Amino acid sequence: DGGITQSPKYLFRKEGQNVTLSCEQNLNHDAMYWYRQDPGQGLRLIYYSQIVNDFQKGDIAEGYSVSREKKESFPLTVTSAQKNPTAFYLCASSILTAGGAKNIQYFGAGTRLSVL
Amino acid sequence: QKEVEQDPGPLSVPEGAIVSLNCTYSNSAFQYFMWYRQYSRKGPELLMYTYSSGNKEDGRFTAQVDKSSKYISLFIRDSQPSDSATYLCAMSAAGGSYIPTFGRGTSLIVHP
């Protein structure tokens, strides 16, 4: 059953703590993405990666870090530098095509992060 | 002006109504147009996508693109309470950043 798996579903962070959100895909997609979704704000891009061992900052990368050691996996760490981490985090993946116009993203079920 | 504009709603309709959800955009380079459905506390699910102008139908859903007006629509026929969700449009262009641009989503409520 192909898809994108995000874990955990719910996560709580204490003050000053780093937490890591997991994202795994078995779709053999090249690119992976992390978005943050706040009520009324739509999707905001945190980081994205086209290939293994390479990633780029999105619009709101401050306070977050990622790694892409395997094609299937793209974990996101919310660091203590992120002062307002409470949000719904979505991981997505897509196949990249020559020219880049066709970029159909598929999403995981999301992780809801709250601050204790 | 945002690249993609989408009325947040909520849009409330009775069961069985035809629903029209819309997005406008400013970037004439957009070529692929996607519609996602997102239930509360879930990830967005791809409903359908179209390339360039024209219509595409899938069951009760029809996606329409009017590139001359920079306007896309998603029609839902015979709407059901289970269609109650937030609908996001997204679009992507060739060249430059390949990241799709998303609308903020329209909240749809279909009441029995």
Side-chain angles (χ1 to χ4, degrees):
Chain A
D1 208 5
I4 301 171
T5 303
Q6 288 188 243
S7 62
K9 204 168 182 178
Y10 300 97
L11 187 58
F12 296 91
R13 192 191 91 167
K14 292 181 184 175
E15 197 79 35
Q17 189 182 39
N18 293 354
V19 293
T20 297
L21 285 61
S22 169
C23 178
E24 303 274 333
Q25 54 101 357
N26 60 3
L27 300 168
N28 199 31
H29 284 176
D30 310 295
M32 297 186 74
Y33 314 80
W34 275 105
Y35 290 91
R36 170 177 171 145
Q37 189 175 40
D38 296 278
Q41 294 224 28
L43 297 175
R44 292 188 288 169
L45 183 65
I46 304 173
Y47 269 99
Y48 62 101
S49 167
Q50 281 183 281
I51 55 172
V52 173
N53 293 323
D54 188 49
F55 46 82
Q56 285 77 42
K57 293 181 180 180
D59 302 317
I60 57 164
E62 187 173 345
Y64 300 97
S65 66
V66 293
S67 62
R68 187 95 186 270
E69 296 176 4
K70 299 186 297 182
K71 187 176 183 178
E72 306 78 29
S73 179
F74 192 40
L76 172 75
T77 296
V78 184
T79 74
S80 56
Q82 173 50 248
K83 296 306 177 191
N84 183 22
T86 297
F88 190 46
Y89 291 86
L90 288 160
C91 178
S93 69
S94 68
I95 294 173
L96 295 181
T97 56
K102 185 179 181 182
N103 185 349
I104 312 301
Q105 294 188 345
Y106 295 86
F107 286 84
T111 293
R112 189 163 297 277
L113 175 63
S114 302
V115 176
L116 286 176
Chain B
Q1 182 193 10
K2 290 190 183 298
E3 266 198 307
V4 177
E5 298 274 7
Q6 189 175 11
D7 188 329
L11 177 62
S12 182
V13 301
E15 184 175 354
I18 296 175
V19 175
S20 172
L21 302 163
N22 312 295
C23 290
T24 58
Y25 62 93
S26 56
N27 185 353
S28 57
F30 286 139
Q31 292 182 298
Y32 281 88
F33 303 89
M34 291 77 81
W35 284 99
Y36 292 85
R37 176 175 63 196
Q38 185 176 23
Y39 290 116
S40 181
R41 299 176 181 267
K42 304 286 186 187
E45 168 197 8
L46 179 70
L47 282 175
M48 55 202 306
Y49 69 89
T50 53
Y51 171 69
S52 196
S53 283
N55 291 2
K56 186 173 184 178
E57 191 173 317
D58 184 0
R60 296 185 295 111
F61 298 89
T62 299
Q64 199 170 74
V65 175
D66 182 348
K67 291 195 82 179
S68 61
S69 303
K70 297 191 180 70
Y71 189 88
I72 69 170
S73 301
L74 178 71
F75 297 97
I76 307 174
R77 288 185 300 282
D78 188 25
S79 57
Q80 303 295 311
S82 58
D83 294 327
S84 299
T86 296
Y87 291 79
L88 298 103
C89 64
M91 30 200 98
S92 61
S97 167
Y98 57 90
I99 310 297
T101 302
F102 285 84
R104 289 192 173 190
T106 298
S107 174
L108 172 66
I109 301 167
V110 181
H111 51 87

